[in-house]
Amino acid sequence: MALVWRKLLSTLNTQPLNSSLFLYGHPLVRCCSSYVSQMRYLTVLKEDDDACSKAQASGKFLLFHNLAPLLQKEGHEGYSAPLFAAADVKGILGKLGQSDNILETSVLIGYSQDSETQFALDLGILEMNDLDHHFCGTFVELRKAFFLLRRQDIPLVFRSQALLRWHQTHQYCSQSGKPTERNRAGSQRICKSNGNIYYPQMAPVVISLVSDGTRCLLARQKSFPKGLYSALAGFCDIGETVEETVRREVAEEVGLEIESLWYTGSQHWPFPNSSLMIACHASVSAEKSQITINDQELEDARWFTADEIKRALERKKLPREQEAGVIPIWVPPRTAIANQLIQEWINKQSK
Ligand SMILES: NC(=O)c1ccc[n+]([C@@H]2O[C@H](COP(=O)([O-])OP(=O)(O)OC[C@H]3O[C@@H](n4cnc5c(N)ncnc54)[C@H](O)[C@@H]3O)[C@@H](O)[C@H]2O)c1
Ligand SMILES: [Mg+2]
């Protein structure tokens, strides 16, 4: 595969590259299904700074200010994270008396079905003043944005913020201590003094919904908002498999030995740093379902019946009211993989 790409890039380097369309029209990129072409096109942009620079000139930009995404109100649908054309961003920067060189600090984040090459740009070096007013939106801190954004906009916003943050926090070589330089796409950083290449990193985390057949186990940490319960989560230790992490985390946090587990899905999670959340269902036998809570990690953990879970799923907003002095139980929103796990468990119970 690497050889194929080297060949493609050397062909491109010997031909005039007038626009990114030329690149997208290259036989190796064009010959395949649209998805394959898109992925190959993105790979070329990550490898070739000139091609990426040309794509930036006609690209679409997701905007951030100090890592807070720009949100626009979308009627009843909630908020969207709009993508601005390069010309519009330049126009607004011009009005504000700012140079458009800042576009070069953007990072490549994708290629849409509408043939738009997408970038994320952090305008944090500019004073906020009425910056958001010019872009007809509001820059909103990511945790708050998570609750406001339309579901379909969340993955791109999460990915963009994670990549922008990685560049802001990984500017030096950990071996030489010298500053590293990014490539144009922002897919890697290199230390010119020793050739070390750094790629964006994320930590694997397992999130497991444990069931004893008729009940499922949810827990809360002290830092969770009041009443919020979720599935058990934990970082993978170095050298561990996903299965080993699930077994260890469940044992550590609630003192149970699981009998079986199965993978169901995953989600990129940007808080507090980039994690890949790997979601699994796990089962324990009803006879061995006595929990012992590790109170260093958890404030509470409990078994919930299907009826209790259904009621918790129905609470769409953060519950403000207290029911007869008791804080109502609620679970993470539909945009979180924990919710998917809980929903899948309920669906299985209903069958
Ligand atoms: N429970 C949920 O519903 C839920 C949902 C989404 C995301 N998460 C995320 O899952 C992640 C892990 O959950 P947890 O806090 O229970 O993990 P955890 O049970 O592994 O405990 C956290 C501790 O693990 C250690 N640790 C080991 N590797 C680490 C790493 N790479 N980064 C940070 N700490 C590391 C630290 O000592 C930290 O205090 C958190 O980032 C949390 O935001 C949890
Ligand atoms: Mg944990």
Side-chain angles (χ1 to χ4, degrees), residues 70-82:
L70 182 84
L71 267 49
Q72 279 179 351
K73 185 90 177 88
E74 288 285 336
H76 297 303
E77 271 198 275
Y79 287 79
S80 68

Side-chain angles (χ1 to χ4, degrees), residues 203 205 207 221 224 230-231 233-235 249 253 269 271-272 275 277 297 332 338:
V205 170
I207 178 156
Q221 296 178 6
F224 283 12
S230 186
F235 289 96
E249 280 293 332
E253 297 196 350
W269 190 250
F271 313 111
S275 299
M277 306 292 301
E297 302 206 22

Side-chain angles (χ1 to χ4, degrees), residues 21 65 139 222 234 261 277 310 345:
L21 276 178
H65 190 271
F139 291 100
K222 230 188 214 148
L261 68 105
M277 306 292 301
K310 275 183 200 156
W345 182 79

